[in-house]
Amino acid sequence: MANVKYFKTDRRKYYRITHGTESPSMLRRLFTWVFNYGFHCVMAYRFGAWAGRVYKANRFLGLPFKLIHLVLSCWMKMFYHMSLEDGSFGPGLYIGHIGTIYIGPTTIGANCSLTHNVTIGIGQTEGAVGLPTIGDNVWIGTGAVISGPIQIGNGVTIAPGCILSRSVPDGCLVAGNPGRVVLREYDNRRLFGYLYEQAINGLHRGDGSVLERDPDTDSPRSDTTSDQQRQ
């Protein structure tokens, strides 16, 4: 039952980040289930964890589910370029964009968000061979690599392109290669879909125009204007 509860938390997080509410309309829910490929990968991962539990309890009953997950896993690797099944994720897993994500046999806490080109696995440095352990409420940016026997604390934000092979205390923003703490007591709640309007609306583009979203379609408006034009 734990996997079912975890998936319910995953689903609510997808709704919150994608639509700004954990109770969107049926049409928006359907759109998430059908067209959000990251959500598909999370569903496949949770199904595999559930199938493994069933197989462990009763091999005869669990074998069909294990075979189904094997097919799903092959599909994710071949077409989505995703490998999650070795990892252990807490509830609230969110994948923003699919593609070339590899998660080794590591433990990751609740409310983790990651996006494409992320690798979390075994460090190969002499004297530092091992796997990372990642806490709760951790946001991992595009292209990040996390490796070695390190501890990532709760509320950590790992910037895009960061190559991290050292432990990080709670609440830090890390960036660079090699990854270093650049800011302490960093509040990353906005990255998880909280404060949704502040996170999505009012973003400035390089040309000075402001990104706004249509409340009906939840997509960017095409008639944005610059701040000077609005004034």
Side-chain angles (χ1 to χ4, degrees):
M1 292 299 292
N3 293 299
V4 175
K5 292 181 180 179
Y6 282 11
F7 177 66
K8 289 181 178 179
T9 304
D10 302 335
R11 183 185 63 199
R12 290 196 299 268
K13 184 175 180 180
Y14 266 88
Y15 292 161
R16 183 176 69 244
I17 291 178
T18 306
H19 306 297
T21 174
E22 294 185 0
S23 301
S25 65
M26 289 302 298
L27 181 60
R28 291 187 176 185
R29 295 186 190 199
L30 180 62
F31 186 89
T32 299
W33 283 74
V34 175
F35 296 109
N36 194 310
Y37 303 128
F39 187 58
H40 296 170
C41 295
V42 172
M43 284 193 290
Y45 169 77
R46 295 299 185 197
F47 177 81
W50 174 82
R53 284 178 174 269
V54 175
Y55 182 77
K56 186 176 181 180
N58 187 312
R59 292 192 175 186
F60 178 76
L61 293 177
L63 182 59
F65 300 113
K66 288 284 288 185
L67 293 176
I68 292 172
H69 177 251
L70 178 62
V71 173
L72 290 174
S73 179
C74 291
W75 177 274
M76 296 301 166
K77 291 176 181 177
M78 291 176 61
F79 297 101
Y80 289 2
H81 305 291
M82 304 278 289
S83 179
L84 305 176
E85 63 267 18
D86 290 338
S88 176
F89 292 90
L93 173 60
Y94 177 84
I95 298 172
H97 301 284
I98 64 169
T100 57
I101 294 178
Y102 171 77
I103 309 298
T106 186
T107 301
I108 301 174
N111 196 33
C112 175
S113 290
L114 63 155
T115 184
H116 54 291
N117 296 338
V118 167
T119 299
I120 304 174
I122 300 173
Q124 301 292 345
T125 304
E126 183 177 355
V129 177
L131 290 160
T133 300
I134 299 175
D136 299 334
N137 305 316
V138 174
W139 187 91
I140 304 170
T142 302
V145 177
I146 306 169
S147 63
I150 61 176
Q151 175 70 47
I152 307 301
N154 299 323
V156 169
T157 304
I158 301 172
C162 181
I163 309 300
L164 187 59
S165 58
R166 63 180 67 182
S167 295
V168 180
D170 294 350
C172 290
L173 169 64
V174 294
N177 180 11
R180 293 183 174 87
V181 174
V182 296
L183 187 64
R184 296 182 183 273
E185 298 183 6
Y186 181 77
D187 185 359
N188 64 4
R189 289 180 300 161
R190 181 174 55 187
L191 302 175
F192 297 113
Y194 301 107
L195 310 176
Y196 179 81
E197 294 299 326
Q198 296 180 32
I200 299 300
N201 292 326
L203 296 179
H204 287 75
R205 298 187 177 93
D207 61 1
S209 61
V210 178
L211 174 67
E212 292 184 351
R213 288 187 173 267
D214 189 315
D216 296 325
T217 63
D218 198 37
S219 59
R221 294 183 188 272
S222 59
D223 58 344
T224 56
T225 57
S226 68
D227 289 344
Q228 294 180 349
Q229 290 174 325
R230 288 182 180 278
Q231 293 174 356

